[in-house]
Amino acid sequence: MEYRNLGRSGLKVSTVGLGCNNFGWTIGLEESRAVIDAAIDAGITFFDTANVYGKGGGSETMMGEILGDRRKDIVLGTKAGLAMPDGSKGGSRANIVRAFEESLIRLKTDYIDFYQFHWSDPDTPIDETLRAMDDLIRAGKVRYIGCCNLAAWELVEAEYIARELGTNRFIGTQAELSLLRRENETALIPALAAYGIGFLPYFPLASGLLTGKYKRDAIPEDSRFAKLDTMAGRYLTDENWDKTEKLAAFCEERGRTMVELAFSWLLTRPTVASVMAGATKPAQIEANVKATGWALTEEDLKEIDRITGAA
Protein backbone atom coordinates (compact mmCIF):
# COMPACT_ATOMS: atom_id res chain seq x y z
CA MET A 1 0.00 0.00 0.00
CA GLU A 2 1.21 3.48 -0.85
CA TYR A 3 0.50 6.49 1.38
CA ARG A 4 0.24 10.11 0.30
CA ASN A 5 -0.12 13.45 2.05
CA LEU A 6 -3.56 15.00 1.76
CA GLY A 7 -2.88 18.29 0.05
CA ARG A 8 -0.26 20.49 1.71
CA SER A 9 -1.07 19.01 5.13
CA GLY A 10 0.90 16.51 7.14
CA LEU A 11 -1.98 14.04 7.12
CA LYS A 12 -1.06 10.83 5.28
CA VAL A 13 -3.75 8.58 3.83
CA SER A 14 -3.67 5.25 2.02
CA THR A 15 -4.01 5.61 -1.75
CA VAL A 16 -7.02 3.32 -1.56
CA GLY A 17 -9.62 4.57 0.89
CA LEU A 18 -12.67 2.75 2.19
CA GLY A 19 -15.99 4.46 1.56
CA CYS A 20 -18.26 3.30 4.38
CA ASN A 21 -21.66 4.21 2.93
CA ASN A 22 -22.70 0.54 2.61
CA PHE A 23 -22.53 -0.07 6.37
CA GLY A 24 -26.02 -0.05 7.86
CA TRP A 25 -27.56 0.26 4.42
CA THR A 26 -26.77 -2.60 2.05
CA ILE A 27 -24.88 -4.76 4.57
CA GLY A 28 -25.30 -5.50 8.27
CA LEU A 29 -22.99 -5.60 11.26
CA GLU A 30 -21.11 -8.84 10.63
CA GLU A 31 -20.69 -8.19 6.90
CA SER A 32 -19.39 -4.70 7.75
CA ARG A 33 -17.00 -6.20 10.29
CA ALA A 34 -15.56 -8.53 7.64
CA VAL A 35 -15.02 -5.62 5.25
CA ILE A 36 -13.36 -3.44 7.91
CA ASP A 37 -11.11 -6.29 9.04
CA ALA A 38 -10.06 -6.97 5.45
CA ALA A 39 -9.35 -3.28 4.83
CA ILE A 40 -7.13 -2.90 7.90
CA ASP A 41 -5.30 -6.14 7.09
CA ALA A 42 -4.66 -4.83 3.55
CA GLY A 43 -3.06 -1.61 4.81
CA ILE A 44 -5.99 0.73 4.18
CA THR A 45 -5.85 3.51 6.75
CA PHE A 46 -8.39 6.01 5.41
CA PHE A 47 -11.99 5.25 6.37
CA ASP A 48 -14.64 7.70 5.19
CA THR A 49 -18.20 7.85 6.47
CA ALA A 50 -20.89 10.50 7.10
CA ASN A 51 -23.71 11.13 9.54
CA VAL A 52 -26.24 10.43 6.76
CA TYR A 53 -24.79 7.07 5.72
CA GLY A 54 -26.88 4.09 6.78
CA LYS A 55 -30.26 4.49 8.44
CA GLY A 56 -30.18 7.20 11.10
CA GLY A 57 -26.40 7.27 11.27
CA GLY A 58 -26.14 3.51 10.90
CA SER A 59 -22.72 3.56 9.26
CA GLU A 60 -21.17 5.52 12.11
CA THR A 61 -22.92 3.33 14.69
CA MET A 62 -21.58 0.14 13.13
CA MET A 63 -18.07 1.54 12.85
CA GLY A 64 -18.19 2.51 16.52
CA GLU A 65 -19.18 -1.05 17.40
CA ILE A 66 -16.53 -2.65 15.20
CA LEU A 67 -13.38 -0.54 15.45
CA GLY A 68 -12.67 -0.68 19.17
CA ASP A 69 -8.97 -0.19 19.94
CA ARG A 70 -8.12 -0.19 16.22
CA ARG A 71 -9.69 3.24 15.89
CA LYS A 72 -6.28 4.74 16.77
CA ASP A 73 -4.68 2.99 13.78
CA ILE A 74 -6.84 4.61 11.10
CA VAL A 75 -7.57 8.03 9.66
CA LEU A 76 -11.27 8.45 10.39
CA GLY A 77 -13.27 10.87 8.30
CA THR A 78 -16.92 11.80 8.65
CA LYS A 79 -19.18 14.57 7.42
CA ALA A 80 -22.10 16.86 8.26
CA GLY A 81 -24.38 19.08 6.22
CA LEU A 82 -26.91 16.89 4.43
CA ALA A 83 -30.39 16.41 5.88
CA MET A 84 -30.75 13.96 8.76
CA PRO A 85 -34.01 12.16 9.60
CA ASP A 86 -34.92 14.87 12.14
CA GLY A 87 -34.62 17.54 9.43
CA SER A 88 -31.38 19.09 10.68
CA LYS A 89 -28.99 20.08 7.89
CA GLY A 90 -26.67 22.77 6.55
CA GLY A 91 -23.45 24.51 7.47
CA SER A 92 -24.65 26.71 10.33
CA ARG A 93 -22.66 26.73 13.55
CA ALA A 94 -25.62 25.18 15.37
CA ASN A 95 -25.86 22.27 12.95
CA ILE A 96 -22.13 21.65 12.59
CA VAL A 97 -21.55 21.46 16.36
CA ARG A 98 -24.65 19.39 17.02
CA ALA A 99 -23.95 16.96 14.18
CA PHE A 100 -20.34 16.60 15.28
CA GLU A 101 -21.19 15.71 18.87
CA GLU A 102 -23.76 13.16 17.68
CA SER A 103 -21.16 11.60 15.36
CA LEU A 104 -18.71 11.22 18.25
CA ILE A 105 -21.31 9.30 20.24
CA ARG A 106 -22.14 6.95 17.36
CA LEU A 107 -18.47 6.39 16.48
CA LYS A 108 -17.48 5.90 20.14
CA THR A 109 -14.50 8.22 19.80
CA ASP A 110 -13.47 11.57 21.22
CA TYR A 111 -11.92 13.03 18.07
CA ILE A 112 -12.22 12.97 14.27
CA ASP A 113 -9.14 13.01 12.04
CA PHE A 114 -10.81 14.59 9.01
CA TYR A 115 -14.14 16.38 9.44
CA GLN A 116 -15.89 17.43 6.24
CA PHE A 117 -18.63 19.84 5.23
CA HIS A 118 -20.76 17.57 3.03
CA TRP A 119 -22.52 19.95 0.64
CA SER A 120 -22.78 23.61 -0.22
CA ASP A 121 -25.34 25.52 1.88
CA PRO A 122 -26.68 28.66 0.18
CA ASP A 123 -28.39 29.75 3.41
CA THR A 124 -25.19 29.95 5.48
CA PRO A 125 -22.11 32.08 4.72
CA ILE A 126 -19.03 29.90 4.38
CA ASP A 127 -17.24 32.00 7.01
CA GLU A 128 -19.72 30.76 9.64
CA THR A 129 -19.07 27.15 8.64
CA LEU A 130 -15.30 27.65 8.67
CA ARG A 131 -15.35 29.32 12.09
CA ALA A 132 -17.41 26.48 13.56
CA MET A 133 -15.09 23.82 12.14
CA ASP A 134 -12.03 25.81 13.20
CA ASP A 135 -13.35 25.94 16.77
CA LEU A 136 -13.56 22.14 16.76
CA ILE A 137 -9.89 21.96 15.78
CA ARG A 138 -8.88 24.46 18.45
CA ALA A 139 -10.82 22.43 21.01
CA GLY A 140 -8.73 19.38 20.12
CA LYS A 141 -11.71 17.43 18.78
CA VAL A 142 -10.82 17.57 15.08
CA ARG A 143 -7.40 17.21 13.45
CA TYR A 144 -8.14 18.55 9.95
CA ILE A 145 -11.14 19.83 7.98
CA GLY A 146 -12.31 19.39 4.41
CA CYS A 147 -15.35 19.56 2.20
CA CYS A 148 -17.26 17.65 -0.45
CA ASN A 149 -19.06 18.55 -3.66
CA LEU A 150 -18.15 22.25 -3.67
CA ALA A 151 -17.66 24.00 -6.98
CA ALA A 152 -14.19 25.27 -7.84
CA TRP A 153 -15.18 28.88 -7.15
CA GLU A 154 -16.61 27.91 -3.75
CA LEU A 155 -13.34 26.23 -2.79
CA VAL A 156 -11.35 29.29 -3.82
CA GLU A 157 -13.71 31.51 -1.84
CA ALA A 158 -13.33 29.28 1.22
CA GLU A 159 -9.53 29.37 0.87
CA TYR A 160 -9.43 33.18 0.79
CA ILE A 161 -11.92 33.60 3.62
CA ALA A 162 -9.91 31.19 5.79
CA ARG A 163 -6.80 33.27 5.10
CA GLU A 164 -8.64 36.52 5.90
CA LEU A 165 -10.13 35.16 9.14
CA GLY A 166 -7.01 33.26 10.19
CA THR A 167 -8.93 30.00 10.54
CA ASN A 168 -7.84 26.53 9.57
CA ARG A 169 -8.42 25.82 5.88
CA PHE A 170 -9.87 22.91 3.97
CA ILE A 171 -7.01 20.50 3.24
CA GLY A 172 -8.97 18.14 1.01
CA THR A 173 -12.15 17.75 -0.96
CA GLN A 174 -14.26 14.93 -2.31
CA ALA A 175 -15.95 15.00 -5.69
CA GLU A 176 -16.76 12.59 -8.49
CA LEU A 177 -14.07 11.60 -10.97
CA SER A 178 -13.73 8.53 -13.14
CA LEU A 179 -12.81 7.56 -16.67
CA LEU A 180 -16.45 8.17 -17.60
CA ARG A 181 -16.97 11.37 -15.57
CA ARG A 182 -14.06 13.72 -16.16
CA GLU A 183 -15.81 17.09 -15.83
CA ASN A 184 -13.97 17.98 -12.62
CA GLU A 185 -10.65 18.04 -14.48
CA THR A 186 -11.68 21.31 -16.13
CA ALA A 187 -11.90 23.72 -13.20
CA LEU A 188 -11.80 21.82 -9.92
CA ILE A 189 -8.45 20.01 -10.19
CA PRO A 190 -6.55 23.13 -11.40
CA ALA A 191 -7.97 25.06 -8.42
CA LEU A 192 -6.94 22.29 -6.01
CA ALA A 193 -3.45 22.21 -7.47
CA ALA A 194 -3.11 26.00 -7.20
CA TYR A 195 -4.03 26.06 -3.51
CA GLY A 196 -2.50 22.78 -2.33
CA ILE A 197 -5.80 21.05 -1.58
CA GLY A 198 -5.90 17.26 -1.84
CA PHE A 199 -8.43 15.46 -4.01
CA LEU A 200 -10.39 12.39 -2.94
CA PRO A 201 -12.33 11.11 -5.98
CA TYR A 202 -15.44 9.02 -5.36
CA PHE A 203 -17.44 6.75 -7.69
CA PRO A 204 -14.11 5.60 -9.22
CA LEU A 205 -15.86 2.70 -10.96
CA ALA A 206 -18.78 4.81 -12.24
CA SER A 207 -21.14 2.99 -9.87
CA GLY A 208 -19.87 -0.36 -11.16
CA LEU A 209 -19.90 0.20 -14.91
CA LEU A 210 -16.08 0.19 -14.96
CA THR A 211 -15.82 -3.17 -13.23
CA GLY A 212 -16.25 -4.87 -16.60
CA LYS A 213 -19.01 -7.16 -15.31
CA TYR A 214 -21.84 -5.42 -17.17
CA LYS A 215 -22.70 -5.90 -20.83
CA ARG A 216 -24.80 -3.65 -23.02
CA ASP A 217 -28.49 -4.70 -22.91
CA ALA A 218 -27.71 -7.43 -20.35
CA ILE A 219 -28.01 -5.88 -16.88
CA PRO A 220 -28.47 -8.46 -14.08
CA GLU A 221 -31.79 -8.11 -12.25
CA ASP A 222 -30.13 -7.97 -8.83
CA SER A 223 -27.60 -5.31 -9.81
CA ARG A 224 -27.50 -1.71 -8.60
CA PHE A 225 -28.37 -0.44 -12.06
CA ALA A 226 -31.46 -2.66 -12.19
CA LYS A 227 -32.63 -1.50 -8.75
CA LEU A 228 -31.79 2.22 -8.99
CA ASP A 229 -33.23 4.05 -11.99
CA THR A 230 -31.31 7.21 -11.13
CA MET A 231 -27.98 5.37 -11.39
CA ALA A 232 -28.97 3.65 -14.61
CA GLY A 233 -30.08 6.92 -16.19
CA ARG A 234 -26.85 8.63 -15.14
CA TYR A 235 -24.37 6.05 -16.38
CA LEU A 236 -25.96 3.63 -18.85
CA THR A 237 -25.83 5.85 -21.92
CA ASP A 238 -24.80 4.82 -25.43
CA GLU A 239 -21.77 7.10 -25.15
CA ASN A 240 -20.63 5.45 -21.93
CA TRP A 241 -21.17 1.97 -23.34
CA ASP A 242 -19.01 2.87 -26.33
CA LYS A 243 -16.24 4.17 -24.09
CA THR A 244 -16.46 1.21 -21.71
CA GLU A 245 -16.19 -1.33 -24.52
CA LYS A 246 -13.14 0.43 -25.94
CA LEU A 247 -11.54 0.64 -22.50
CA ALA A 248 -12.21 -3.07 -22.00
CA ALA A 249 -10.39 -3.83 -25.26
CA PHE A 250 -7.52 -1.56 -24.16
CA CYS A 251 -7.19 -3.59 -20.93
CA GLU A 252 -7.48 -6.96 -22.66
CA GLU A 253 -4.65 -6.10 -25.06
CA ARG A 254 -2.41 -5.42 -22.05
CA GLY A 255 -3.52 -8.32 -19.86
CA ARG A 256 -5.09 -6.03 -17.28
CA THR A 257 -8.53 -5.57 -15.74
CA MET A 258 -10.91 -2.62 -15.93
CA VAL A 259 -10.65 -2.13 -12.16
CA GLU A 260 -6.86 -1.86 -12.44
CA LEU A 261 -7.26 0.75 -15.14
CA ALA A 262 -9.86 2.78 -13.21
CA PHE A 263 -7.82 2.97 -9.99
CA SER A 264 -4.36 3.35 -11.51
CA TRP A 265 -5.54 6.09 -13.87
CA LEU A 266 -7.07 8.09 -11.01
CA LEU A 267 -3.78 7.98 -9.11
CA THR A 268 -2.08 9.73 -12.05
CA ARG A 269 -4.39 12.74 -11.71
CA PRO A 270 -2.95 15.88 -10.08
CA THR A 271 -3.54 16.31 -6.32
CA VAL A 272 -5.24 12.89 -5.90
CA ALA A 273 -4.31 11.47 -2.50
CA SER A 274 -6.71 8.54 -2.09
CA VAL A 275 -9.33 6.86 -4.26
CA MET A 276 -12.56 6.40 -2.32
CA ALA A 277 -14.25 3.07 -2.97
CA GLY A 278 -17.00 1.25 -1.13
CA ALA A 279 -17.12 -2.51 -0.61
CA THR A 280 -19.64 -5.07 0.55
CA LYS A 281 -17.31 -8.07 0.55
CA PRO A 282 -13.67 -8.65 1.61
CA ALA A 283 -12.84 -9.84 -1.92
CA GLN A 284 -13.63 -6.36 -3.24
CA ILE A 285 -11.11 -4.87 -0.82
CA GLU A 286 -8.42 -7.21 -2.14
CA ALA A 287 -9.28 -6.34 -5.75
CA ASN A 288 -9.25 -2.59 -5.07
CA VAL A 289 -5.87 -2.70 -3.36
CA LYS A 290 -4.32 -4.79 -6.13
CA ALA A 291 -5.75 -2.43 -8.76
CA THR A 292 -3.34 0.41 -8.00
CA GLY A 293 -0.19 -1.26 -9.30
CA TRP A 294 -0.44 -0.51 -13.03
CA ALA A 295 2.21 2.05 -14.03
CA LEU A 296 0.53 3.69 -17.01
CA THR A 297 2.86 5.11 -19.66
CA GLU A 298 2.50 8.43 -21.44
CA GLU A 299 1.32 6.54 -24.52
CA ASP A 300 -1.23 4.69 -22.41
CA LEU A 301 -2.56 7.97 -21.04
CA LYS A 302 -2.83 9.50 -24.49
CA GLU A 303 -4.82 6.52 -25.72
CA ILE A 304 -7.10 6.71 -22.68
CA ASP A 305 -7.70 10.39 -23.41
CA ARG A 306 -8.57 9.52 -27.00
CA ILE A 307 -11.04 6.83 -25.93
CA THR A 308 -12.74 8.94 -23.28
CA GLY A 309 -12.90 12.06 -25.43
CA ALA A 310 -10.57 14.15 -23.29
CA ALA A 311 -7.75 14.49 -25.82
Side-chain angles (χ1 to χ4, degrees):
M1 178 66 67
E2 181 187 352
Y3 302 89
R4 295 182 179 180
N5 288 70
L6 184 54
R8 278 205 309 263
S9 78
L11 182 64
K12 285 189 178 292
V13 294
S14 50
T15 52
V16 176
L18 179 61
C20 301
N21 55 308
N22 288 305
F23 304 159
W25 177 41
T26 62
I27 58 175
L29 181 63
E30 292 311 313
E31 295 97 331
S32 300
R33 188 188 307 278
V35 168
I36 287 175
D37 288 347
I40 292 175
D41 290 345
I44 292 175
T45 59
F46 187 31
F47 288 64
D48 179 74
T49 187
N51 62 346
V52 296
Y53 293 169
K55 297 177 182 178
S59 174
E60 291 182 328
T61 299
M62 286 192 178
M63 293 178 74
E65 289 293 320
I66 295 166
L67 284 170
D69 188 56
R70 293 176 301 174
R71 188 268 172 266
K72 69 180 185 305
D73 301 322
I74 69 168
V75 175
L76 179 59
T78 192
K79 314 178 191 74
L82 290 180
M84 290 292 283
D86 63 3
S88 60
K89 63 178 181 178
S92 68
R93 172 179 291 277
N95 189 60
I96 291 292
V97 173
R98 174 188 174 184
F100 176 79
E101 296 296 342
E102 290 174 349
S103 288
L104 288 188
I105 293 170
R106 286 190 291 266
L107 287 162
K108 295 185 178 180
T109 187
D110 57 4
Y111 71 99
I112 299 298
D113 297 291
F114 185 52
Y115 197 49
Q116 300 151 87
F117 177 42
H118 208 157
W119 211 279
S120 179
D121 177 9
D123 295 326
T124 304
I126 192 63
D127 58 293
E128 180 175 339
T129 305
L130 282 166
R131 284 186 187 276
M133 298 178 82
D134 181 70
D135 285 347
L136 293 174
I137 291 180
R138 294 176 188 274
K141 297 180 178 182
V142 169
R143 302 293 187 256
Y144 300 90
I145 58 173
C147 58
C148 308
N149 306 299
L150 297 193
W153 71 266
E154 292 176 305
L155 274 166
V156 173
E157 179 186 43
E159 174 75 19
Y160 272 82
I161 287 176
R163 293 182 185 185
E164 181 179 346
L165 297 177
T167 67
N168 281 277
R169 54 191 287 276
F170 294 144
I171 65 161
T173 190
Q174 292 191 38
E176 184 172 5
L177 183 67
S178 74
L179 287 160
L180 300 180
R181 302 287 304 208
R182 298 185 61 171
E183 298 90 339
N184 279 321
E185 290 184 292
T186 302
L188 183 63
I189 285 182
L192 299 179
Y195 295 103
I197 301 171
F199 189 31
L200 302 164
Y202 61 73
F203 287 172
L205 299 174
S207 201
L209 187 54
L210 289 171
T211 61
K213 67 181 181 182
Y214 296 107
K215 303 298 180 185
R216 195 190 301 243
D217 301 323
I219 303 300
E221 292 183 1
D222 62 345
S223 69
R224 179 182 297 183
F225 288 129
K227 295 177 180 178
L228 300 174
D229 291 340
T230 53
M231 287 294 185
R234 180 178 176 84
Y235 293 105
L236 301 185
T237 65
D238 288 338
E239 180 182 5
N240 279 348
W241 279 121
D242 290 342
K243 292 178 182 178
T244 300
E245 290 165 357
K246 291 174 182 177
L247 290 170
F250 174 91
C251 292
E252 187 174 355
E253 290 171 2
R254 292 158 176 80
R256 297 284 188 167
T257 67
M258 290 276 282
V259 175
E260 286 180 286
L261 176 62
F263 276 75
S264 295
W265 176 81
L266 281 168
L267 290 172
T268 69
R269 301 300 88 189
T271 82
V272 168
S274 182
V275 179
M276 306 306 304
T280 58
K281 300 178 179 65
Q284 292 171 321
I285 295 290
E286 182 180 355
N288 292 345
V289 171
K290 288 182 178 178
T292 61
W294 186 355
L296 295 162
T297 68
E298 286 299 319
E299 288 303 312
D300 288 335
L301 294 172
K302 288 178 182 178
E303 178 64 9
I304 292 165
D305 284 346
R306 187 191 66 78
I307 292 171
T308 58

